[in-house]
Structures are given as structure tokens and as C-alpha cells.
Amino acid sequence: GDLSGVTEWSGNPIIRAPENDPLNWIVGDPTVLHIGDEIHMWTNGAICCIQHYVAKASTPTKFVQLADAITSPGTVRAYAYLSDDNETVTLFFEQYNFPFTGSFCKTNVQAAQAKVGVWKFERYTNWAGLGIAVLSPSLPWMDEGQSCPERVGNPFVFYNKAVSKYWQYFSASSVHLSDSNIDEPRYLGLAESDKLLGPYEPLLKHPLNIKGGIPGLEVIGNGSLKIIRDPSASLEGGKAVALANRLTKNATSGATGSTIIMIRTEDGGLSWETVHAPFIGPSLVPGTWKYAYAYGYDTLPDPLDNNYILVYYNARNGYKDGHEQVGVARFPKSMIIQAKQR
């Protein structure tokens, strides 16, 4: 369920998984940018590709699919970064080693860039045309897990004015969710770089701590951490407000899940504490689009009402045979201001 004050769009889901596509039974991990009079969204499929959609800012729930941004297999969990001049989009994404099993399962964070309006994404590669890792697993806690351990991904990148460096929050290692037979991230980390495209080095030598749990649930993993895309939430005077998603296990039933929470920092982003949990959670109602998990997300000020923030997120409608789709919710900006002042 969702926190009161968070309102679901009645037409959810807004982007559905393709019918009868053996490669892509999910539409996962949306990232969004408001550019001019358009909203651009990027998602990933199960086996291949980063998809690209566009909507008019006047109708921020009606998306039309464009050509795929990245067509290589094993590219997932993108984050879109817009340059200060609004002319270049950098997609940071998690790249699996093909064929994604055994020792090939390890991942790193890579990048691709395109000019706004042209949308021809060029991967950041070396002279041999191989993708350059902007962040790689480098510490022991980035290599834990049963079936898919050596992983870093779920990048969130921003320029931290307080330290004049680019920061990247990321997920690391994995935990196996047996009831869905999927691997999800275990830890969150923080890395920094002098350059947007890295290389990023761990700033914290230990996993990032989020204080506070979710009532009735055991937290077994952490998906991502993203500061809300609005000036009211930005890191200033050591304070910021973000969303994170936490992987959980129900203490009674043993069922796993994923819940989006609201968090805040007072120490410049080095540690975080829970403000609202759950913020956006699964419905736990069989037959609904977000029955079991509320996962990856991104945020934008509502183009139709500046007092609200939109949260685009993907959810799963079941366990082992579940499909994942994208929906949208909104919440009042006053919740960010209250979180900062607590």
C-alpha cells in the first residue's frame, strides 16, 4: 500500500510489457527527464535493450515509444542525466556480461550519450569499441550473493556543488528472491569522480546505511537511492530528500517484496534516515498490476501543477511468472519540505 498523500494515477499501468515477446516480459526501472515541452522516459526489458518513450508535458501519462536508445543485450537500470545546457543526455546503466549466468553474471556501470532531439546514443567505449566501465566492483562487499554476486548498478549521478565532484549512488552485490527466482541488489554504495564519465571511486569503504525499517517486514536488500528531482529536495546545507527502494521479506509468510520509501540526509549525503516507509508499496492484492513489488523509479515536478511531484515506477504483478510494468503516482511537494525540516 501507499502512504496517505501519495495518489496513484487511475489509469495505471501507463506502459505495459509487450505482448508475446519472449525476450521482454518486463518494462523495468523507468528514468525520466522534462526537456522543453516533452517528457522523455527510458526503461529496460528483461534480456535486451534500453527503450525510449516520449510524452507531451501537457499529458504526462501518455507515452509513445521511439527507437531503442541502446540495443545491446544485458543493459538495465538506466539513469538519465541532463547537461546544464539542456543539450546532452547521458544514460548511465548497468551492463551484464553476456550470457548473464555463472561468472558472466558480474555487472559494471557504463554510459552512453546523445544530443537532445537527435537521440542517437553513442556508447562510451575504448579504441576497440568495448564499453568503458565508469564504475566497477572493487571492494569485498560488492561481491556477495548466491547466484549473481559481483555486481554494481542502479546508478544515480549528480554534481555535488558542496564538494565540487560528481557523486554516484549505486547498488552492489545481490540477494536471491526464491519465490520469484530473481536476484536483486543487496547494498547501496557511494562513489565520486572529478568527471561526469568517471572513473568513479568508492567514497565510502563500507555499505551506505539507511536508518529505520518498514513495519512488519525484514529488509534484506536495497535497490537504489535517488534524490528527488526538484530544487526543494536538492542537497543544500548538508540536507537532501530522496527515495529509495528496499527489498523485503514478510516475517510471517516469508514472501519477498519491494517497497519505495522516502529518506533524508543531514550529513551531506553520507548517511540517510527513513522519513516515510512505506511510501509506495505493493498492493498485495492478487490480480493487480503492482501485486508483489514496487521497484525502480524516478521523479519529476508535475508539469501540470508545480505543487506536486510525479513518481514514475515499475511494479511486478506476481512472483515467478510475474510481468513488470510502469505506472505513475504523485505527492505534494510540501512532504519534501516537511522531511527537510523534521
Side-chain angles (χ1 to χ4, degrees):
D2 302 339
L3 182 74
S4 78
V6 179
T7 314
E8 289 283 329
W9 170 246
S10 59
N12 280 342
I14 59 171
I15 298 178
R16 297 172 186 273
E19 296 285 332
N20 307 315
D21 183 343
L23 292 183
N24 287 323
W25 56 93
I26 70 170
V27 181
D29 301 288
T31 181
V32 284
L33 289 173
H34 186 169
I35 306 171
D37 59 358
E38 294 177 334
I39 292 175
H40 288 263
M41 180 192 293
W42 293 268
T43 65
N44 64 258
I47 303 294
C48 180
C49 312
I50 305 285
Q51 295 93 25
H52 184 188
Y53 305 81
V54 66
K56 290 177 180 164
S58 56
T59 51
T61 60
K62 289 185 180 169
F63 284 85
V64 175
Q65 191 164 359
L66 303 175
D68 285 356
I70 298 171
T71 54
S72 336
T75 48
V76 294
R77 304 185 181 97
Y79 179 74
Y81 177 96
L82 182 62
S83 62
D84 287 342
D85 61 9
N86 290 348
E87 287 184 8
T88 306
V89 170
T90 305
L91 284 182
F92 294 91
F93 55 89
E94 185 172 347
Q95 175 68 65
Y96 281 87
N97 280 10
F98 194 72
F100 328 135
T101 55
S103 62
F104 295 101
C105 200
K106 61 177 164 185
T107 70
N108 56 33
V109 175
Q110 297 186 20
Q113 290 184 314
K115 288 289 173 199
V116 168
V118 181
W119 303 122
K120 185 173 168 36
F121 280 90
E122 301 284 347
R123 290 185 68 147
Y124 179 45
T125 58
N126 62 14
W127 60 271
L130 297 170
I132 293 173
V134 301
L135 176 73
S136 298
S138 60
L139 295 169
W141 56 270
M142 300 176 191
D143 187 11
E144 293 179 20
Q146 289 164 280
S147 54
C148 205
E150 200 178 336
R151 285 174 59 175
V152 289
N154 272 305
F156 163 67
V157 175
F158 72 105
Y159 185 69
N160 185 342
K161 292 178 191 152
V163 294
S164 301
K165 287 185 185 291
Y166 291 94
W167 272 21
Q168 181 179 164
Y169 288 98
F170 62 94
S171 64
S173 289
S174 73
V175 58
H176 187 70
L177 310 185
S178 54
D179 49 358
S180 291
N181 194 30
I182 49 180
D183 294 282
E184 291 294 344
R186 179 171 292 195
Y187 302 119
L188 291 170
L190 174 60
E192 69 176 9
S193 174
D194 292 323
K195 297 176 183 170
L196 176 65
L197 292 177
Y200 286 80
E201 298 297 334
L203 177 61
L204 297 178
K205 304 304 180 196
H206 53 81
L208 184 86
N209 184 38
I210 298 177
K211 286 186 197 138
I214 305 171
L217 299 172
E218 177 195 355
V219 175
I220 58 172
N222 295 278
S224 63
L225 186 161
K226 295 172 184 168
I227 295 173
I228 295 164
R229 290 192 200 255
D230 187 77
S232 64
S234 297
L235 192 54
E236 214 168 312
K239 293 184 176 184
V241 180
L243 300 182
N245 78 294
R246 310 201 87 176
L247 288 309
T248 61
K249 195 171 205 174
N250 185 296
T252 313
S253 69
T256 64
S258 176
T259 295
I260 298 168
I261 65 171
M262 181 183 274
I263 58 177
R264 71 172 194 150
T265 182
E266 288 192 302
D267 64 3
L270 298 176
S271 68
W272 295 77
E273 64 175 348
T274 301
V275 179
H276 297 296
F279 187 70
I280 296 174
S283 69
L284 304 180
V285 177
T288 57
W289 79 281
K290 56 180 232 168
Y291 165 32
Y293 303 84
Y295 270 137
Y297 55 88
D298 202 0
T299 54
L300 279 181
D302 185 342
L304 303 179
D305 186 342
N306 202 36
N307 295 310
Y308 286 85
I309 304 289
L310 299 181
V311 186
Y312 294 90
Y313 68 99
N314 79 301
R316 190 173 175 99
N317 65 0
Y319 294 90
K320 271 200 174 86
D321 299 319
H323 288 238
E324 295 178 22
Q325 305 178 102
V326 170
V328 63
R330 74 173 197 165
F331 67 93
K333 199 185 286 191
S334 57
M335 291 174 75
I336 298 172
I337 294 150
Q338 286 161 6
K340 264 197 178 173
Q341 291 170 346
R342 276 179 59 158

